[in-house]
């Protein structure tokens, strides 16, 4: 049988007042008001080790701030045997529309392992928030449970949806980043829309002194005398760098000096990431001006932040959206976004929703030729992120949804 364990993660409280310069005093006041009903409550968050997506980064900003508001938060990571990890990954993939291929025996083992892990927890939590494939723990929890689904599950694989729905019935609430992410099956009174947000105090999002971005990016091989567009990748099956390369080829025919930087924080231990990187390199082999940068070339959070700041535009292309943080980080750095996501980008205001390569290429060329337009869109995008997509607003939404779910439950 697959075994599972829950590894505690450190959460150091961070005072809401630290966010006032970035988010504004009013945003901090609204957050503290939302925290009032939950002050002193014990809330456990559980994520899954090795899962795709940005959940660890999102929780790394959200939970310290929650602790700073007076909520007693804990964070644990579910990990276990290769079989358990494979089943959890398959469930998450199936919810996004991939083929899960979970055998009944593997699912039974997964639930039994999750049940044992859940029963090992203390029983005095006021709520447990399960992120994505950690949903399996709902089978063994008596405490009120909320499922936090970060993926776009609007067109899930039927088998994965059926398995998840049975577990979701045990939950007091289901939280999604946007209403469009939820399958119709979850469109009931337990569904809450609560978009995550980026942490403006994360090193990747801090304002850098004037000359530092150039000094950070130049050693990576980017020619700062020429404009470049950027796509930040996770090197999983859901990002679509091929579409970005196709759009770039069309744009480069109009603007020969243009460069495309594909930035990916490569997991050195993940074979799939290496395979994805090789496929990207092969696809772009005959295209001049494409630069694939990974951890091996010295890419880290500081470098990604500098690239986001210096790019003329960020391209966001996914086969199926999860909550991707790169577009919001780009807008925070006053860089317009071409492509999406639709719930974040106001077409023609802080970027362009471009469904095809031709439209994306035309907008890339437009932004390269009109730096004033790019700057205007960037300013608009930063204000939108300040109002709606910083961690302060995200935590306010989550606390209100959590309070509603617990009241309903």
């Amino acid at each position: 049988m697959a075994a599972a364990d829950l590894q505690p993660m450190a959460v150091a409280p961070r005072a809401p007042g630290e966010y006032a310069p970035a988010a504004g005093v009013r945003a901090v006041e609204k957050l503290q008001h939302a925290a009032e009903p939950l002050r002193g409550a014990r809330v456990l968050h559980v994520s899954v080790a090795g899962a795709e997506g940005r959940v660890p980064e999102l929780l790394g900003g959200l939970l310290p701030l929650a602790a700073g508001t007076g909520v007693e938060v804990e964070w644990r990571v579910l990990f276990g045997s290769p079989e358990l990890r494979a089943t959890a990954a398959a469930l998450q993939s199936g919810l996004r529309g991939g083929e899960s291929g979970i055998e009944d025996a593997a699912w039974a083992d997964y639930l039994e392992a999750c049940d044992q892990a859940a029963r090992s927890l203390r029983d005095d939590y006021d709520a447990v928030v399960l992120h994505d494939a950690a949903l399996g723990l709902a089978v063994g929890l008596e405490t009120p449970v909320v499922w936090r689904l970060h993926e776009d599950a609007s067109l899930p694989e039927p088998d994965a949806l059926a398995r998840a729905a049975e577990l979701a019935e045990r939950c007091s609430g289901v939280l999604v980043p946007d209403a469009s992410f939820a399958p119709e099956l979850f469109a009931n009174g337990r569904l809450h829309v609560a978009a995550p947000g980026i942490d403006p105090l994360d090193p990747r999002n801090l304002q850098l002194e004037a000359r530092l971005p150039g000094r950070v990016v130049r050693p990576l091989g980017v020619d700062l005398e020429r404009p470049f567009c950027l796509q930040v990748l996770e090197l999983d099956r859901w990002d679509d760098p091929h579409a970005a390369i196709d759009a770039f080829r069309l744009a480069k025919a109009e603007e020969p000096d243009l460069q495309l930087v594909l930035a990916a924080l490569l997991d050195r231990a993940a074979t799939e990431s290496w395979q994805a990187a090789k496929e990207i390199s092969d696809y772009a082999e005959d295209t001049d001006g494409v630069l694939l940068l990974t951890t091996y070339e010295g890419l880290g959070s500081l470098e990604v932040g500098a690239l986001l700041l210096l790019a003329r535009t960020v391209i966001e292309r996914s086969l199926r959206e999860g909550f991707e943080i790169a577009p919001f980080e780009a807008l925070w750095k006053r860089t317009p976004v071409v492509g999406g996501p639709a719930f974040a980008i106001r077409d023609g205001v802080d970027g362009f929703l471009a469904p095809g390569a031709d439209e994306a290429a035309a907008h890339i060329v437009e932004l390269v030729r009109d730096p004033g337009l790019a700057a205007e869109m960037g300013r608009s995008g930063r204000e939108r992120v300040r109002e709606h997509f910083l961690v302060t607003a995200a935590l306010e939404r989550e606390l209100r949804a959590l309070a509603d779910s617990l009241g309903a439950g």
Side-chain angles (χ1 to χ4, degrees):
M1 186 201 77
D5 290 293
L6 292 165
Q7 172 64 34
M9 306 295 290
V11 178
R14 193 156 203 172
E18 294 184 44
Y19 287 87
V25 173
R26 177 62 180 148
V28 172
E29 291 174 346
K30 290 172 65 178
L31 168 59
Q32 291 173 322
H33 184 263
E36 284 286 348
L38 294 171
R39 193 157 285 135
R42 295 186 179 92
V43 180
L44 172 66
H45 288 254
V46 183
S47 59
V48 178
E52 296 176 350
R54 298 294 190 181
V55 173
E57 289 181 61
L58 293 171
L59 291 181
L62 188 85
L63 298 188
L65 181 56
T69 67
V71 182
E72 295 184 21
V73 295
E74 294 182 31
W75 178 13
R76 289 177 180 254
V77 174
L78 176 70
F79 71 98
S81 65
E83 293 81 10
L84 181 136
R85 295 198 304 272
T87 301
L91 174 64
Q92 192 159 331
S93 176
L95 289 171
R96 291 181 84 164
E99 184 177 345
S100 66
I102 303 174
E103 300 288 341
D104 289 344
W107 183 247
D109 284 349
Y110 167 75
L111 292 181
E112 186 174 349
C114 287
D115 181 43
Q116 290 189 1
R119 295 182 187 280
S120 72
L121 294 168
R122 68 192 209 195
D123 60 3
D124 61 345
Y125 292 112
D126 294 291
V128 178
V129 182
L130 303 176
H131 294 262
D132 293 332
L135 176 63
L137 269 72
V139 75
L141 290 169
E142 301 296 332
T143 302
V145 177
V146 172
W147 183 29
R148 182 40 140 151
L149 177 61
H150 296 268
E151 309 291 2
D152 181 352
S154 57
L155 295 172
E157 179 207 51
D159 287 350
L161 177 61
R163 296 184 194 280
E166 185 175 349
L167 291 169
E169 284 296 319
R170 300 170 176 264
C171 299
S172 301
V174 178
L175 275 59
V176 293
D178 188 71
S180 66
F181 280 34
E184 291 186 15
L185 192 61
F186 296 155
N188 53 42
R190 294 180 299 132
L191 183 69
H192 298 272
V193 176
I198 65 170
D199 184 356
L201 303 186
D202 185 277
R204 194 149 119 180
N205 299 322
L206 291 176
Q207 189 70 35
L208 302 177
E209 63 175 87
R211 297 185 180 181
L212 182 58
R215 292 203 299 267
V216 167
V217 167
R218 195 170 282 108
L220 297 173
V222 182
D223 184 352
L224 296 181
E225 301 301 317
R226 298 159 53 196
F228 71 91
C229 43
L230 170 70
Q231 185 180 27
V232 180
L233 300 170
E234 293 185 35
L235 289 181
D236 60 28
R237 61 178 294 188
W238 301 105
D239 273 328
D240 193 7
H242 299 82
I245 294 169
D246 290 343
F248 169 72
R249 286 171 174 153
L250 296 172
K252 189 172 177 62
E254 301 290 328
E255 289 290 330
D257 284 343
L258 187 62
Q259 305 165 91
L260 171 62
V261 177
L262 302 170
L265 295 176
L266 180 66
D267 183 350
R268 292 180 172 91
T271 304
E272 299 83 359
S273 296
W274 286 102
Q275 183 176 350
K278 178 64 166 60
E279 290 175 0
I280 294 167
S281 297
D282 290 346
Y283 192 75
E285 188 174 13
D286 62 347
T287 305
D288 182 50
V290 178
L291 187 62
L292 175 61
L293 299 175
T294 71
T295 311
Y296 266 70
E297 284 85 14
L299 190 73
S301 289
L302 178 64
E303 288 75 18
V304 172
L307 286 166
L308 287 164
L309 179 67
L310 295 176
R312 182 60 56 87
T313 181
V314 163
I315 304 172
E316 176 56 33
R317 283 284 190 235
S318 298
L319 298 175
R320 180 65 58 82
E321 301 287 356
F323 185 85
E324 304 288 351
I325 64 175
F328 299 96
E329 291 178 332
L331 294 176
W332 182 242
K333 291 179 178 291
R334 301 183 178 88
T335 301
V337 176
V338 171
F343 72 90
I345 305 303
R346 296 169 296 179
D347 193 28
V349 179
D350 32 43
F352 294 103
L353 298 177
D358 290 338
E359 298 98 322
H363 291 309
I364 291 169
V365 170
E366 184 179 3
L367 291 167
V368 169
R369 291 178 176 174
D370 192 344
L373 174 63
E376 181 182 344
M377 285 187 157
R379 285 191 296 269
S380 176
R382 182 177 173 92
E383 286 309 306
R384 178 164 171 77
V385 172
R386 187 196 305 278
E387 292 178 14
H388 299 289
F389 295 109
L390 292 183
V391 69
T392 43
L395 181 58
E396 179 199 343
R397 288 188 288 267
E398 183 147 320
L399 291 177
R400 293 191 191 282
L402 188 59
D404 288 347
S405 295
L406 296 181

